[in-house]
Amino acid sequence: MSSSPRDVKIGGLASTRLQPDLPAESLLSDLVPFASPYEADPELKTFLHRTANLLCDWIGGAASGQPLPTVWAQPDATPGPQGADVDVLLSDLQSLMEGAFQPSHPGSLAHLDPPPLTASIAADLIAAGLNNNLLAEELSPSLTLLEQQLVRWFCDRLGLPGSAGGALTSGGTLSNLMALVVARDRLSDASGVVLCSEDAHVSLSKAMRVMGLGGPALIRIPVDANGSLCLTQAEECLSRLQRQGRQCLCVVATAGTTVRGAVDPIPALASLCRRFDIWLHVDAAIGGVFALSQQTADLVPGLGEADSITINPQKLLGITKASSMLLVREANQLHDTFSTGLPYMDDASAGYHGGEIGLQGTRPAEVLKLWFGLRQLGVPGITRVLSSALERASTFKQRLDLDRLVCQPGSLHLVAFHPSSRVSRDGSSWTLALRQALMQEGFMLSRPLYAGCHHLKSVWGNPHTTVAHIDHLAHCINRFER
Ligand SMILES: *Cc1c(COP(=O)(O)O)cnc(C)c1O
């Protein structure tokens, strides 16, 4: 190397900056398309511009299409004998996009998958370009710090104490699993049961399996008419377990159940858990975000009393997938449970690396799209997203003909209903036929099996759905005959 190197300080390590005018000769440069480190690569720019245009067209054309595509040309899945040029790649990409679910369609109301925020889309792209790794501080210095800072903000907003901490994870399933593993870790005996409501999320069953605890160890307590876990039954169950000398390793409260958006009585469950000295995990994958705004925080009271909380910003706020987080009351519990030491890394300034506080090793910088999206919204924007979702849900509920339909009460932005027995004795085929009829009108609802009968479920987190859409949808439902 002929040039004179210049030292730059990065996080205590002295590194050498190469002169930008070194010859761009590389063994691979002509063969494999990696962007030049010596100039703003024109090929990369073209590629990004053209793919960005495709994406803008796809989102911009959402309202004139359907939420779910019916025909598209699936491109080749495997690498060909030769690398594809940009025109082929983009044409393949376009075909694939034509077969994608369209969350930005105003009639996309089926699931907890809203359209993505502009800043979150861009941040996901940047995260890919940075290609940093949250496994270790030296692979993601600023992003590791950002994750710690943002987790701190979430802990404060949700009312957890100063000792709290957490980690971003690739989904609520993983957050819930990690919570149960941490809860079990503080007990001397690795067996035991977990209590949750009968409407709790399926990811808990999966977690039990992974932990080797088996299905019967997940005790499902009935819910009341509002879909909330029945407190007296939970108390009876805990007393019974105590008399039998059986260990309960965790009670899981749900803040926002998946079909009807019901919220369990968290403050009362917290005092029950304190009395029995049992870990309280709150699965707030859906409802947790409502605690971020003072205007809606009353919908999910008591989160700050939990030992751990799952929260999924991907489900309502428009943060691109995956965006979930596990928060714990005592930050060091994550490290105690998951750290193995990282012998191939230097020490981290926070005392641990991002790969030592959870199940994942290599982690993408999912914090970037969360941070950027939340910054774009600001606190008032967050409030608008939350309260407008609630408004749309309540407008829709008001429009439904309750002489013909049975609506399942819940307190968030989900509305699930089924036909009354006067309208149909066969709810299964009625909901199936209505779902198909609504699809023809550009509305996508889902059809969950809940409490033994098929429902239609609508989720009101789509900011593009207007009152006119709601009117039309309710009209189609109220008039539906088969
Ligand atoms: C969606 C959901 C989960 C699982 O989250 P994923 O990100 O899909 O893994 C857990 N609990 C509840 C209540 C949910 O609605």
Side-chain angles (χ1 to χ4, degrees), residues 112 171-174 176 201 203 254 256 258 283 285-286 312 314-315:
L112 294 137
T173 300
L174 199 48
N176 280 344
H201 194 258
S203 56
T254 305
T258 310
D283 179 359
I286 296 175
N312 271 20
Q314 71 193 16
K315 284 197 167 173

Side-chain angles (χ1 to χ4, degrees), residues 162-183:
S163 57
L168 268 66
T169 74
S170 297
T173 300
L174 199 48
S175 300
N176 280 344
L177 170 61
M178 280 165 48
L180 294 189
V181 172
V182 173

